[in-house]
Amino acid sequence: MSERKVKRLLDTPPLDEEAEERVWETVRAAFAEREPLERPPQRFRLVLALSALAAAVAAAAFSPPGRAVVNAVRRTIGIEHAQPALFSLPAPGRLLVAGGSGAWVVAADGSKRRLGDYPQASWSPHGLYVVAAAPNELAAITPAGAVHWTLARPQIRFPRWGGTRSDTRIAYLTTSRLHVLAGDGTGDTDAGGLPAAARVAPAWQPTTADRHVLAYVTTRGRVIVVDTDRGSVRWISAGYAGAHALAWSHDGTQLALAAKTKVVLFDARTGRATTIRVEGVRALAFSTDGRLALLRHRVLLLRVGGRLLTLFAPPGAIAGLAWSPNGRWLLTELPAADEWVFLQTRGGHRILAVSHITAQFGAFPSLSGWAS
């Protein structure tokens, strides 16, 4: 059957209203079997992606009842009026993404530059460089794609770059070992005297002082904060089941940990912990003005007093968080819908979606940071 004929069938108005209602009830029942979610805020009125329903509708599309509900179901999948391509970012800065098709830098005007076959990457302080990793190689690269140095190491994971503009350090994991080296690729040190590291990305404390302080999670779920210049431990937390993500506030005063049933906020100086009971947080990120975003099966903002505000609640799976440098926009992903979703959090309440992400990058990438 030709594409034109298929389109004509899909666009045909329903002739049998009772058949339409019967099929729509079937779709509604399939939706009801999914995990129940809170209704998204009124200000983010949108049409949400349901990949399971999309498959059911596709199977029924060529039957008369199926044709009758195609238009109705179209209103429940994807983001309404999503752009067909990333024409520009909604805020200044450059976006770093990485995955199966390598590492890419996306400029504010939407132009893209591929940095190489690196499935992991993160920004250096101030976005001057990118540290990227293949399974057995670590590399420092400019955003324009020039390679400054490479280092061969086995099973590299979670490269992270911290420090000041002129004095930087890089941390990464190999199996359960934590490594630290200078930003010029020299002095690679295995922190063998410290407890083994869990498979969690380490995090450098933002600082303007001449200190390089690193937080990481041990295999027992403890957070250890280390002064890597002095080789001393500042504090060690209690153990937390399912600890799997760390993030520092931009002023360096708070450290957030995502665990199985809670988010823990630590005072950077003392390690004193404040616990917020919330299950299933998979990622977290601080904005430049101190707001903490949490990723569960929805995107949440942590308010004063531990209250949680829902920003975005799609029924499909979401992944990744990246704040714009000015803190006005928060980017997340809908992999099943092949879309990026930009949520405005300051100066308005718009939601912008971009589709066909896989076609633009060769594979659906992970968000690795939005730098100025």
Side-chain angles (χ1 to χ4, degrees):
M1 185 177 293
S2 68
E3 181 178 348
R4 182 174 299 177
K5 188 171 183 180
V6 171
K7 184 178 186 301
R8 187 167 62 250
L9 287 172
L10 294 179
D11 291 337
T12 301
L15 300 177
D16 184 345
E17 293 185 357
E18 291 184 1
E20 176 183 358
E21 184 62 27
R22 286 195 303 271
V23 177
W24 181 241
E25 287 301 324
T26 300
V27 173
R28 195 195 313 275
F31 175 71
E33 292 178 359
R34 298 175 61 87
E35 179 183 0
L37 297 174
E38 294 178 9
R39 195 183 188 95
Q42 191 73 8
R43 62 186 183 181
F44 285 150
R45 188 179 297 276
L46 48 82
V47 183
L48 299 165
L50 294 174
S51 58
L53 294 187
V57 171
F62 296 104
S63 68
R67 291 199 306 270
V69 296
V70 163
N71 288 337
V73 175
R74 278 176 176 165
R75 295 192 295 271
T76 65
I77 57 177
I79 301 297
E80 190 175 14
H81 308 307
Q83 295 177 176
L86 182 66
F87 301 125
S88 64
L89 300 177
R94 296 157 298 155
L95 190 64
L96 179 64
V97 300
S101 65
W104 298 73
V105 171
V106 182
D109 64 1
S111 60
K112 308 168 188 67
R113 181 182 296 275
R114 187 174 183 273
L115 303 182
D117 294 327
Y118 299 103
Q120 304 176 73
S122 67
W123 287 110
S124 73
H126 311 288
L128 299 178
Y129 294 92
V130 171
V131 58
N136 299 310
E137 181 184 52
L138 191 70
I141 309 170
T142 69
V147 177
H148 271 228
W149 54 261
T150 65
L151 182 67
R153 290 292 184 272
Q155 303 180 51
I156 293 173
R157 295 186 181 92
F158 309 119
R160 295 295 185 269
W161 203 329
T164 64
R165 181 181 289 268
S166 59
D167 188 10
T168 63
R169 300 288 185 274
I170 294 171
Y172 67 93
L173 304 184
T174 59
T175 59
S176 63
R177 303 311 313 163
L178 175 68
H179 289 249
V180 176
L181 68 156
D184 61 3
T186 63
D188 186 5
T189 302
D190 180 343
L194 294 172
R199 294 187 179 184
V200 178
W204 290 101
Q205 182 183 27
T207 180
T208 56
D210 188 23
R211 283 286 177 270
H212 300 91
V213 176
L214 180 70
Y216 80 100
V217 177
T218 73
T219 53
R220 295 190 175 186
R222 297 178 182 271
V223 176
I224 298 185
V225 176
V226 184
D227 183 331
T228 62
D229 294 331
R230 296 179 176 177
S232 59
V233 172
R234 290 197 168 181
W235 52 264
I236 301 176
S237 78
Y240 294 94
H244 60 272
L246 289 170
W248 285 99
S249 61
H250 282 253
D251 62 5
T253 61
Q254 282 190 307
L255 176 66
L257 169 72
K260 184 178 181 180
T261 60
K262 63 195 73 175
V263 168
V264 187
L265 298 177
F266 298 101
D267 179 278
R269 185 175 60 85
T270 65
R272 182 178 179 180
T274 301
T275 299
I276 296 96
R277 294 284 178 178
V278 53
E279 293 189 8
V281 172
R282 293 182 283 115
L284 31 72
F286 279 99
S287 68
T288 51
D289 59 6
R291 289 171 296 158
L292 180 62
L294 312 177
L295 181 75
R296 299 174 67 206
H297 46 267
R298 65 194 71 188
V299 178
L300 306 168
L301 272 184
L302 181 62
R303 306 290 293 272
V304 175
R307 293 173 48 241
L308 295 171
L309 170 69
T310 298
L311 289 182
F312 183 52
I318 54 177
L321 292 173
W323 283 98
S324 65
N326 62 13
R328 292 178 177 268
W329 291 85
L330 181 62
L331 172 59
T332 190
E333 302 174 303
L334 292 174
D338 199 20
E339 291 179 347
W340 284 354
V341 182
F342 295 89
L343 308 172
Q344 189 177 21
T345 67
R346 291 286 194 212
H349 306 300
R350 288 183 296 161
I351 180 169
L352 302 176
V354 178
S355 60
H356 304 102
I357 297 301
T358 298
Q360 296 173 74
F361 293 97
F364 198 89
S366 297
L367 304 177
S368 301
W370 196 341
S372 58

